[in-house]
Amino acid sequence: MEMLVASAIGIMTAGGIYLTLRLRTFPVIMGISLLTYAVNVFLFASGRLTIGAPPILRDGVDVYTDPLPQALVLTAIVISFGMTAVVVMIGLGAYLGSDDDHVDDQPVDIDGETEGNS
Amino acid sequence: MTHWIIAPIVLPALLAPFIVLAARYHIGIQRVFSVTGVLALITIAAGLAWQASDGTITLYQLSDWAAPFGIVLVADRLSTMMVLLTAVLALFVLLYAIGSGWDDRGRHFHALFQFQLMGIMGAFLTGDLFNLFVFFEVLLIASYGLMIHAGGDARLRAGVQYVLFNLIGSTLFLFALGSIYAETGTLNMADLAERVALISPDETVGIRIAAVLLLLVFAIKAAVVPLHFWLPSSYAEAPAPVAALFAIMTKVGAYAIIRVYTMIFPPDLEATAGLFGLWLLPAALVSLAIGMIGVLAAKRLDRLVAFSVIGSMGMVMISIALFTPEGIAAALYYIVHSTLAGAVLFLISDLVRTGRTDLEITPQPTIAGAPLTAGLFFVGAIAMAGLPPLSGFLGKLLVLNASYDSDLMVWIWIVVLSSSLISILGFARAGSVLFWKSTSVPPTDETSALPHPAALSYVAVGGLISLLIAHTVFAGQVHGYTTTMAAQLFAPEPYKAMVLDTAGKLSKPSKEEH
């Protein structure tokens, strides 16, 4: 299981970084979403992996899973969803306004006109 | 248990929804509540700073849950000073926003402003790394809204970059927190400090990675080269009062570095030794150099100021990276100075913009109120470039003085002194083109119709400048206080004892019960 979780985190991170480097808003947002998924799974794994163990104290149970990462992940998921929504809206606004979905600043001509969105 | 310590977080948190819900369509009422709230914040912050000034560390356990499981807020000298600085800066920024009418150019400026304050205050007061993350997010969410306040294509494009960069930063922060939690099983700073010290020297790989990741995250916030890319566009395109408020946001990164690396990874910890001298100090030197070269190279006034902010953060980071009590004391003095100076310059660049069509550093017809604006710019530039008699010069002297024992002392002196010269050239060039050459261009009908900045704007800028002057005049006392602050930071035992030994729900059983 460790192998599966670790490779899942690794693949998602790699894909996320690749997409983030694409410099156009849609792939970058997708890439950051992938990265947040990866980090959420990573946070889960930071409390050690256990199967079928309860996180809350109860009678007759010896093996527990760490409840704290679950609380952390819950917070992180909410924040990352909110952030993704915000960046989609701002990215959409920027795209509609300048008819260009590049994330980086485009090179400027000698006339001061920006290439691509003039 | 005193409840005042949570007031700087709760007050803006209550005020912001109230402004959104009750005063949505009345900019006047919003202004009254916003200013009153900030005045109350200043009073509370001053009270907290006074309380902490004799070395008292105040602990607040939310719902009386004891650390390390409960959430705690801790107010010591450093936290309260930063809280007070934020509150005072917020007042003048708010006055400027009201005077210049920026708050009326988009919706919900005041509500977002209060949320932003809540996040900053929380980040300064929290005693727990995960809550530091949460408060970072709170201040970032508000700053996204403020950054694109009043809209416009250029601003939205810069906003996309700003948001995306910070999202990557947040993800990195979570990775850092995950690795710290995996290594130690706690995220409370005081508890972490105790547990990190117990890690055996053979098994430090994980904690070293965590320490570096965390440093990267804070360096992104502090805009240290090579992680500064987000800053010039974002700050230059943001509305001027917002950019002035953002002057404190880079300092949140600096604060977090000081807090975490004096408490959790102290200089004598073997696992992270060399992190500062080997990596942060050269990066800080490059930041200072790049910032000041950017000042010389900038074609627009707002970019110029943004690069000078990067340069001044480089200066702060040099001083922090020395990692001695003298270095931290100098850094804290310089943090106050560069926050005020950065904010002043952003506001002045908006004063210039009011009378011009753009902020290109080219000769254009004289703006309304040019002599006064030019004078203010002159003072602001002197402060930022670090010329005598203002506090930038004293701060620079303190940093140079603290660098005597460093291996890189020669480099620090070379970079600090030559970058000062470059920034003086940059500011002199900008000032002379903007204010002197403007008389050679005859006014046109189009430009003479441009408005005169409001009196309240000048009051706000003047207020900040008088604070800078006070920071210079009382430099001895301020530096004395930052020295005691550094001493408190380098002797964290009372802090740890206060956080870990105060009883509460689920606290460790006390010794008498055994």
Side-chain angles (χ1 to χ4, degrees), chain A residues 3 24 27 52 55 59 63 68 88 93 96-97 100 110:
Chain A
M3 185 64 202
R24 287 190 173 252
D59 292 336
V63 182
L68 201 74
V88 165
L96 293 177
D100 177 21
I110 303 163

Side-chain angles (χ1 to χ4, degrees), chain A residues 7-17 31 34-35 37-39 41:
Chain A
S7 52
I9 296 172
I11 292 169
M12 278 198 286
T13 311
I17 291 174
L34 268 183
L35 277 176
Y37 288 132
V39 79
V41 179

